[in-house]
Amino acid sequence: MHLSFVLKKVIEYIYIRRVNFLLTLIVLIASLYVAAYALQTRAEADYYIYAARKRLTTTNILNVQMISNPMGDSSEEAERFEQFDAMLKERYRDRYGKFMHFEVNYLDDGKKIRIKTLYIDDSLLNLCDAGMDLSGLTEPPPEGMLTCYVGSDLAEQYKPGTLLTTEHIGTELYVKGALPEGAGWIPSMLLYTDHGEEILDNGIVTVMDENYFDTHIEFYGNTYSSLYFFYDTKEESDEMKLEIRELAEEQNLMCYLYTFDDMVATLKEERINVHRAINVLVMFALAVAGLSSLSAGLADVYSRHYELAVMYVNKVSSLDMLAMLLIENTIRMVIATGMAAFFFSRGLDALHARIYMEMVLPGLAFGMLIFMLAMTGIEFMTINRRKLLALIGGAKL
């Protein structure tokens, strides 16, 4: 293969037939935009599952969501839940834990501030990938305090050694360090929410503060949807469901129990019609995008039959012609993918841009690579099978 000759012909073609090249490029950009829209719609429907699975360190978890009685006494219900919680701790020990996530008022040098704080039982510190090892939260802080990490956006304001005091219960938090940017956790209610993770950049993470429950027992209500158990096998999870339900019934409590696989199956079943409609849209958009791009590519090749005939007469090898088509298509695809990504993503907010970058663009780029190779192969076979006279089309050589 004569690489210098091939590159020279590619550059000459792009310059001489720049209008045709530009029109083909516009078709590709429009096709990619339509495909990106369809794939984005599909990705957004599944982002909840994707984000939760990515954030969890294991999907072998059982989630218990308590069902409150709106007509009952909340204090009396919380007392029964306290007994239920104690029984779960005794039976399952470090395989069980809970967390709560809510806005907390702090006093910082007498000034009141409000920061969303995540409280986690020691046994659940490895439930999620928070961007760093949270076991440091269990290391002894100064006496009478709790150790905490602040989010990356608060790192400059609250440096290691800073003390924060909760306004209502008086617990002091000792800032040990900062979480990395993008650190996160799953939401308090994992099922029936519109997102699969909570970003902690503007928050605080610490261990569970039992003073809340000692001061106001109703604070247990903040943990009703975030009780988690670790298990090893499906058989074990089924057995745990029966045991937990029996313990709840002993305290006259009601609850739902879901493994992560149960949650995924439930969501997919509830959204099956939506997914079918989206899948049809995706297939239609990809088919339109593929046919449009292929038609534009073939039309471009056919418009160059004189040049191709001259190359055949001058004994240009088939490998050189294949390389020329491959390089031209690569240039088109790279420019078109970049331009389509720019136009599509600039109107997205932070969450949807993240969905696009993580779930849509990689698949779209890979798909374009496969499509480019297939289109190059089709174009080359089309040229290679045509007779010389057909390529010449009556031209004088």
Side-chain angles (χ1 to χ4, degrees):
M1 183 177 71
H2 305 88
L3 184 59
S4 59
F5 169 77
V6 170
L7 293 176
K8 178 183 177 182
K9 295 304 292 183
V10 169
I11 295 171
E12 284 181 2
Y13 163 72
I14 293 176
Y15 178 74
I16 295 172
R17 306 178 66 84
R18 52 189 177 275
V19 174
N20 194 50
F21 183 85
L22 180 60
L23 291 175
T24 306
L25 199 60
I26 292 173
V27 171
L28 285 172
I29 294 172
S31 299
L32 281 169
Y33 191 96
V34 172
Y37 178 82
L39 292 172
Q40 179 81 4
T41 304
R42 182 71 172 83
E44 288 174 6
D46 289 337
Y47 181 71
Y48 166 87
I49 297 172
Y50 166 84
R53 181 180 280 118
K54 184 179 178 182
R55 186 60 67 179
L56 288 165
T57 57
T58 176
T59 55
N60 285 349
I61 55 170
L62 175 64
N63 174 226
V64 176
Q65 297 183 8
M66 308 306 299
I67 306 173
S68 296
N69 181 2
M71 305 302 294
D73 186 324
S74 60
S75 296
E76 190 270 337
E77 184 179 60
E79 290 175 359
R80 287 186 280 117
F81 175 81
E82 184 177 35
Q83 294 298 317
F84 177 58
D85 179 57
M87 289 189 293
L88 294 175
K89 287 180 179 177
E90 182 179 358
R91 175 167 295 193
Y92 299 104
R93 300 186 180 278
D94 60 356
R95 302 179 70 188
Y96 161 70
K98 61 186 180 297
F99 67 85
M100 57 185 185
H101 197 191
F102 55 86
E103 298 280 350
V104 176
N105 289 328
Y106 291 99
L107 298 176
D108 177 22
D109 290 335
K111 183 176 65 175
K112 184 187 296 187
I113 53 175
R114 190 171 178 84
I115 305 175
K116 196 168 186 180
T117 304
L118 174 64
Y119 294 93
I120 314 170
D121 275 342
D122 293 1
S123 56
L124 284 190
L125 290 176
N126 64 340
L127 175 66
C128 296
D129 178 7
M132 64 178 291
D133 184 5
L134 296 181
S135 61
L137 293 173
T138 62
E139 296 175 3
E143 186 176 354
M145 301 180 186
L146 296 179
T147 300
C148 75
Y149 292 117
V150 298
S152 60
D153 290 348
L154 304 177
E156 288 298 319
Q157 185 175 359
Y158 303 109
K159 297 184 180 297
T162 301
L163 297 180
L164 296 170
T165 304
T166 52
E167 181 183 23
H168 298 297
I169 59 176
T171 301
E172 287 191 309
L173 270 61
Y174 173 82
V175 177
K176 183 174 182 177
L179 297 167
E181 184 178 357
W185 201 259
I186 57 174
S188 296
M189 180 175 284
L190 187 56
L191 189 61
Y192 300 121
T193 184
D194 59 355
H195 56 287
E197 62 179 343
E198 297 276 1
I199 301 301
L200 305 174
D201 290 346
N202 288 293
I204 291 176
V205 179
T206 185
V207 292
M208 189 63 72
D209 187 354
E210 299 295 334
N211 288 334
Y212 276 110
F213 312 127
D214 295 337
T215 306
H216 301 288
I217 198 168
E218 289 89 349
F219 266 103
Y220 274 116
N222 291 293
T223 69
Y224 281 0
S225 296
S226 52
L227 314 178
Y228 283 89
F229 301 78
F230 296 105
Y231 66 86
D232 295 320
T233 64
K234 185 180 184 305
E235 291 73 20
E236 186 179 25
S237 70
D238 292 338
E239 183 178 336
M240 291 173 74
K241 287 179 183 179
L242 294 174
E243 294 172 351
I244 294 168
R245 190 169 280 113
E246 288 177 0
L247 292 176
E249 290 174 354
E250 286 181 22
Q251 298 300 321
N252 195 27
L253 295 169
M254 295 184 294
C255 61
Y256 292 122
L257 299 97
Y258 301 96
T259 64
F260 186 80
D261 290 340
D262 292 336
M263 296 179 194
V264 172
T266 298
L267 288 171
K268 287 187 175 180
E269 183 178 354
E270 291 179 349
R271 300 175 181 176
I272 188 169
N273 291 329
V274 174
H275 276 84
R276 284 175 180 170
I278 292 175
N279 287 336
V280 171
L281 175 63
V282 169
M283 289 187 290
F284 176 77
L286 293 178
V288 170
L291 290 173
S292 300
S293 301
L294 182 58
S295 299
L298 289 175
D300 181 56
V301 169
Y302 285 143
S303 70
R304 299 160 57 193
H305 56 275
Y306 293 152
E307 292 93 331
L308 295 173
V310 171
M311 289 182 191
Y312 268 116
V313 169
N314 286 279
K315 306 299 183 182
V316 175
S317 70
S318 296
L319 184 59
D320 285 342
M321 297 190 71
L322 176 62
M324 189 170 62
L325 290 172
L326 183 60
I327 293 172
E328 289 174 5
N329 285 333
T330 300
I331 294 173
R332 282 198 195 94
M333 295 302 178
V334 170
I335 296 175
T337 301
M339 293 296 292
F342 170 75
F343 288 124
F344 187 83
S345 62
R346 67 175 182 171
L348 301 177
D349 58 26
L351 174 60
H352 291 88
R354 183 177 181 182
I355 294 174
Y356 176 72
M357 295 301 294
E358 291 184 4
M359 300 180 66
V360 177
L361 187 57
L364 197 61
F366 179 75
M368 288 305 296
L369 174 62
I370 300 301
F371 179 74
M372 179 198 68
L373 295 174
M375 186 169 75
T376 301
I378 293 172
E379 290 175 350
F380 177 72
M381 288 188 293
T382 301
I383 294 171
N384 215 33
R385 288 176 181 176
R386 300 193 74 188
K387 294 181 180 180
L388 181 60
L389 287 176
L391 287 172
I392 295 173
K396 297 180 181 180
L397 299 177

